[in-house]
Every structure is written in C-alpha cells, then in structure tokens.
Amino acid sequence: MKLSTIPHKILPSNVSKAFLSGVLMGMTVAPVGAWFLAWFALVPLWLMIFDKEPKRKLYFHISLVSIAWGIGYHGTSLSWITSIHPMTWMKVSWLASLGISLFCWVFITFWGAILLLPWGIGLFLLTSKLNSLSRVLVGTALWCGLEAIWSYGPLWWSSLSYTQSPNNLIVLHIGQISGPNTVTAAIVAVNGLIAEAYKANRARESYILEMELKLRTIVQFQYYLLPLTLFLMVHIIGWSLYKVPLNQTAETALKVGIIQGNIPNTIKLYPEGLYKAITGYTMGYINLVKQGVNVVLTPEGALPFFEERIMASPLVAAVKDKGVVAWIGGFAPYQDSEYTNSVFTVTREGEVFSRYDKVKLVPLGEYVPFKEILGTAISRLSPLKANQVHGLETQVFDTPFGRAIIAICYESAFSERFRYQASVGGQFILSSSNDAHYSAAMPAQHHALDIMRAIENDRWAVRATNTGYSAFVNPHGRTLWISGHNTYEIKAETIYKRQTQTLYVRWGDWLTSVLLVLGGSMLIVEILHKHKVK
C-alpha cells in the first residue's frame, strides 16, 4: 500500500486524536485516578476505525490510530517505569541508566499497544457489515480474548479493568462473576454503544434538523439510552454484591502485624542497608508482638539473604523467643548461581513450616527471557543479576493458621494466580512486595491491583511493602489502613479467614469464552446469510 493513498491532511489529525484519547484512558489510574474517563475514552478510536470516508478505510490507517491509542494509554499509565533512573547506585553510568529506563518504558508501552493492532483491524474486518449490537458484541469479545492472551504472557499490568480501582469499588464487584475481564467487557461495551449511538444519531441528522428542538432532544437521547442502561445495570449488580454482609466471627479472626522497613534499594544490599533491615524488622516484630498479633508479615526480600542465613538472623531468634509466627521475605538457593524469590513461614520453634517461591518474575529485572538464545545480548541491557528461577504454578502456601493465597510483588497483576489458590482452599491474601525503585504512582497502582484481587476472590488482603503502600483491605475492597510512602511503619489489624467461593473462583473467566462463542456465532450467521442471498 502506497503512503500516497493516505489523506495526508486528515491522517495526522486522527492519529493525534487517537493518541490523546489513549492518554485520557491512561489518566484513569494513579497518580490522576480519573476513573470515569474510561467509560468514554475508547469512543474516538472506535469511530475512527469505522470512519465513513472510503479512502480512509485503510488497514494502514486503522493500524496507525489503534497503535497511537495504545501508546497513549500504556505510555501514560506505565510512565512510572522511568523512575528506575538513575541506577548509579548499581554502578551504572548516569547516561546508561537513562537509556535503560527509556528502553524499558518504550518496550512495555509498545508491548501493551500491540494488543490494539489485532483489535482494531479485527473489529473493522469482522464487523463492518454487522448491525450495531452485533458489532459491539464482537468488539467486546475480541478485546477480552486479547487481554486474556496477554495476561498469560510475561508482561502484564494495565488491563482496562484496573482503570476502575481503587475509586469505583461498586463496579469492581462484578469481577466476582468472571474476574477482571467482566469489568473490561463492561467498559468496552459501553464505549462501543456510545460510539454506535453517535454514528446512528449522525446518520439521521438531516431528518432531525427539520424537527422542533424538543423533539430533536428526545430523538437524540434515545440513541444513548442503551449505553446508559448498561452502565447503570453493571453498577446496580456491583452494588448488590458490594452490600453483601461479611459475616465475621471470632473463630475466623486473625490478628496480623505488618512491617514496612523503608530500606531504599540504593543501600539495600550494602552494609548500611543490611544492618537497617536486621534491626528494623527485628524491633518491628518485637513491638508488634507486644500488641498481641498472631503473626507478622514482612515485605519481599525483607532479609536479602539465603534461607540458611535468615534462619540464623536476630529476627528468627526473636521469633523463637517470643513464640509468634512470622512470614519472612528472602531467597532460597536453587542450583548453581540460581535462586528463588521466596516467603518463608517461620514457626515459634524457629523452623520453616512452608515456603512460597515467586512464580511471575519480572523480565530482565529478575530473569533473562530466552536465555539460551538472547542471554548474552540482553545481559548488556540489564545491569541486574537476572538469575532467579520461577516457582511452580501449582504451589500452595499452608500456614499454621490455614491455607493462604500469596503473591510476591509483580504477581498482583495476574488474577489467575489468586483465583487458583482460592479455588484450592486459600482463606486470606498475603501480598509481599518491594516497590522501592519506583515513584509513588507505581505502588498506588499496585495497591489498586491487590484491591481487585481481594474483591474478585472475596478475601481479606494484607499488603506488606518495603517503602509503601502497605495496607489492610477487606473483601469489599475497602482499605482499612494504608501506610505512607517512604516511611518506616508497623501496623496491627484483625482480618478474617473466609472459605466462600465466588463464581470467578469456581469457573474462572467463563464470560470471555461465552462472548467469543456468541461473537463467533454472529459472524457465522452473517456469512451464511450472505451466501444464501447470493
């Protein structure tokens, strides 16, 4: 296809509009948190894909506006990745550090934006001849299917669903039905219906101009009644789930203490940081024991040692002395120079009761993808020791208080990790993280993801982070307490063990499968109809 066929005066304008509407979607999450924008920020892209100008119905044009929207959304929402700069504390030069941070931002932005390419082209190619409702159904199914595929990959964070967390807890409750894609489906469908309503309204514009102003308003409103109805309906369903009583009992109570060590990564692995970790977590543990906690949770890598040294630490000595269980973040040797990022349950006898190894590792930061092929080249880009190994997908985390659902840092983005553990008996959520190397926007988004996981699985959640935001969250997503950022804090709170199973926990993401089947059926019916007419 020749670029000369692209209408040069219009194309840059459309690409800019698509990019800006993507930026609006990116502003739904921290640090802005304008969640309401998500319900119409996709409309401009939808309209551009189905623009009526024949010359502009080009796959090249659709690709450009789709990618531009994706860059705007993911580039804005994930801009916190640039705060890994400077990495001079890792003996990386200032200029190289800048290059690495920009590379990471560009890479993860385009990784997310690429999802829009098959969606935009697929939406146009598959639904151009369908009616509005069928088009919205197929477009929604296609988006949810692509998000489901992306969520099984190594890089995943910014689903459309998390645009509603933590500020719209009502709609997040429909995640109990079929997981985060339930929220995503609602957002895409409302956007699609608004776009289709706008198109239908414009199609009758010549007739409407001949009517009285009052009648014109009524006719215009009827087109937008359907997206408004869907928006209200999903919120009403969410409200009904939000109002379900938690039915807390003394028998299920568990008083948990958390320690936010506030140890910057710049000193974490040096003598100053190691001393601060040992003293800070030990004293924090002792003070929490005085508050009558049953167990203490520490952040990811709280004691950045291997298991043998952790068990010989003053913190474990305090556990043996005080007789209160602790969940301690650290590392376990695997083989050769490889190791796992782990959380240990240390009993009052000073023994390891159980261990969980992180399953979802950060590419380049914690491991080298395709190491055999790309290891040498990628190691030049990443200054980190990328030799961690993945834990088993089927792990469970049993504790003296019952089975827990646990996630270490990055795993909070992967809802299936939580759903699986809830389905096999997990009674409460533990999130152990270290977001010290990022700006405040990242831990705020991380907290928002854990809120979603608490709601979807109907579980209490405890978040212990290194520098913030540590928190206690109830099954309705309400944050009972949240720490400051870059502060040392300890906090004790009572949570409650639960054994309920939401539809999502039982059946997984069944809605996406249903949408894909219905959408596929619509397309088959249309093909058969065309064949019959011929």
Side-chain angles (χ1 to χ4, degrees):
M1 183 179 296
K2 296 181 179 180
L3 291 180
S4 59
T5 63
I6 306 296
H8 298 290
K9 293 182 180 179
I10 300 174
L11 182 57
S13 174
N14 274 0
V15 172
S16 299
K17 290 177 183 177
F19 174 76
L20 290 175
S21 62
V23 170
L24 285 180
M25 186 66 83
M27 293 172 64
T28 58
V29 297
V32 180
W35 63 270
F36 52 88
L37 294 176
W39 297 95
F40 54 83
L42 186 60
V43 172
L45 175 59
W46 192 292
L47 292 173
M48 279 181 257
I49 289 173
F50 292 102
D51 200 294
K52 288 186 176 181
E53 289 284 341
K55 289 184 179 180
R56 291 163 64 188
K57 287 184 178 179
L58 304 169
Y59 293 118
F60 181 77
H61 168 67
I62 294 171
S63 300
L64 279 181
V65 294
S66 298
I67 291 293
W69 191 96
I71 291 173
Y73 172 47
H74 294 281
T76 301
S77 61
L78 299 174
S79 58
W80 46 259
I81 192 70
T82 57
S83 57
I84 62 175
H85 173 72
M87 292 180 280
T88 50
W89 60 277
M90 300 177 67
K91 299 181 180 179
V92 178
S93 70
W94 190 94
L95 191 59
S97 172
L98 178 63
I100 290 170
S101 64
L102 291 176
F103 169 81
C104 291
W105 186 28
V106 170
F107 185 84
I108 63 173
T109 294
F110 273 91
W111 181 267
I114 286 297
L115 181 146
L116 274 295
L117 183 59
W119 182 79
I121 292 177
L123 184 64
F124 176 78
L125 183 64
L126 297 174
T127 71
S128 294
K129 304 300 181 182
L130 297 180
N131 61 52
S132 292
L133 291 180
S134 298
R135 185 178 299 123
V136 171
L137 173 62
V138 173
T140 303
L142 187 58
W143 191 294
C144 289
L146 289 168
E147 279 209 358
I149 293 171
W150 253 246
S151 69
Y152 279 97
L155 281 175
W156 181 241
W157 189 269
S158 44
S159 163
L160 281 191
S161 59
Y162 97 131
T163 62
Q164 302 303 291
S165 187
N167 299 307
N168 189 1
L169 297 181
I170 301 300
V171 83
L172 288 178
H173 275 69
I174 66 173
Q176 293 184 352
I177 299 172
S178 186
N181 263 0
T182 321
V183 181
T184 294
I187 293 171
V188 176
V190 169
N191 275 271
L193 289 171
I194 292 174
E196 293 299 316
Y198 179 83
K199 288 166 58 183
N201 185 56
R202 290 293 298 272
R204 296 189 59 184
E205 191 175 47
S206 59
Y207 297 100
I208 295 173
L209 290 175
E210 300 173 3
M211 300 178 182
E212 295 292 334
L213 179 61
K214 183 177 179 180
L215 182 59
R216 183 190 311 173
T217 303
I218 294 173
V219 172
Q220 287 176 334
F221 177 75
Q222 72 177 358
Y223 293 111
Y224 297 99
L225 190 59
L226 196 54
L228 177 61
T229 300
L230 178 58
F231 177 83
L232 291 175
M233 185 176 70
V234 296
H235 281 77
I236 290 170
I237 294 172
W239 175 258
S240 67
L241 294 170
Y242 182 74
K243 298 303 290 182
V244 173
L246 295 179
N247 298 324
Q248 299 157 181
T249 63
E251 293 76 17
T252 61
L254 181 65
K255 191 171 184 180
V256 181
I258 57 175
I259 307 171
Q260 181 170 293
N262 193 35
I263 304 169
N265 282 354
T266 54
I267 65 171
K268 187 176 179 67
L269 299 178
Y270 297 96
E272 179 187 356
L274 299 178
Y275 174 79
K276 189 175 181 180
I278 292 170
T279 56
Y281 288 110
T282 303
M283 293 307 301
Y285 171 86
I286 293 172
N287 288 329
L288 285 167
V289 170
K290 292 178 181 178
Q291 297 181 35
V293 299
N294 302 117
V295 60
V296 174
L297 176 66
T298 67
E300 173 189 25
L303 298 186
F305 318 129
F306 285 141
E307 180 179 352
E308 182 178 357
R309 188 174 173 186
I310 290 173
M311 300 309 295
S313 68
L315 175 56
V316 173
V319 172
K320 293 168 67 176
D321 179 51
K322 301 299 180 181
V324 172
V325 176
W327 290 306
I328 302 175
F331 304 99
Y334 185 70
Q335 60 184 20
D336 299 328
S337 61
E338 297 178 325
Y339 59 95
T340 59
N341 187 342
S342 307
V343 171
F344 304 88
T345 301
V346 180
T347 66
R348 63 191 63 187
E349 292 80 23
E351 299 176 352
V352 175
F353 181 89
S354 59
R355 187 183 99 198
Y356 174 82
D357 300 328
K358 188 175 182 179
V359 176
K360 296 293 185 179
L361 301 179
V362 180
L364 301 185
E366 294 178 326
Y367 81 105
V368 175
F370 308 111
K371 187 173 183 179
E372 296 78 8
I373 303 172
L374 304 175
T376 302
I378 291 180
S379 63
R380 295 175 183 174
L381 294 173
S382 175
L384 305 176
K385 294 181 179 180
N387 53 357
Q388 291 186 29
V389 293
H390 301 264
L392 296 176
E393 293 272 358
T394 55
Q395 287 178 90
V396 294
F397 192 58
D398 289 317
T399 78
F401 314 100
R403 183 165 292 178
I405 301 165
I406 185 168
I408 299 179
C409 203
Y410 181 48
E411 295 182 314
S412 293
F414 298 86
S415 60
E416 179 59 26
R417 290 292 314 133
F418 292 72
R419 189 205 71 81
Y420 168 76
Q421 293 180 79
S423 70
V424 294
Q427 300 176 61
F428 51 92
I429 294 173
L430 304 175
S431 180
S432 178
S433 305
N434 177 20
D435 301 329
H437 29 285
Y438 301 110
S439 65
M442 189 275 182
Q445 291 184 20
H446 197 164
H447 175 61
L449 290 171
D450 279 335
I451 286 175
M452 294 174 65
R453 307 294 87 90
I455 295 172
E456 292 157 2
N457 296 280
D458 193 32
R459 295 293 187 269
W460 287 78
V462 183
R463 303 193 70 241
T465 71
N466 180 9
T467 54
Y469 295 105
S470 301
F472 291 93
V473 179
N474 79 5
H476 285 315
R478 298 174 191 157
T479 301
L480 304 183
W481 174 85
I482 188 167
S483 72
H485 188 240
N486 292 331
T487 55
Y488 176 86
E489 300 190 42
I490 63 171
K491 179 65 177 179
E493 191 73 54
T494 299
I495 67 169
Y496 296 86
K497 296 177 284 184
R498 293 172 68 81
Q499 298 184 31
T500 57
Q501 289 205 335
T502 64
L503 286 177
Y504 174 56
V505 170
R506 294 176 187 174
W507 300 341
D509 183 16
W510 58 270
L511 179 62
T512 296
S513 300
V514 170
L515 289 173
L516 289 171
V517 170
L518 291 176
S521 300
M522 289 287 185
L523 295 174
I524 292 172
V525 169
E526 179 67 20
I527 293 171
L528 292 176
H529 176 70
K530 285 184 179 180
H531 183 72
K532 185 177 180 180
V533 171
K534 291 181 179 180

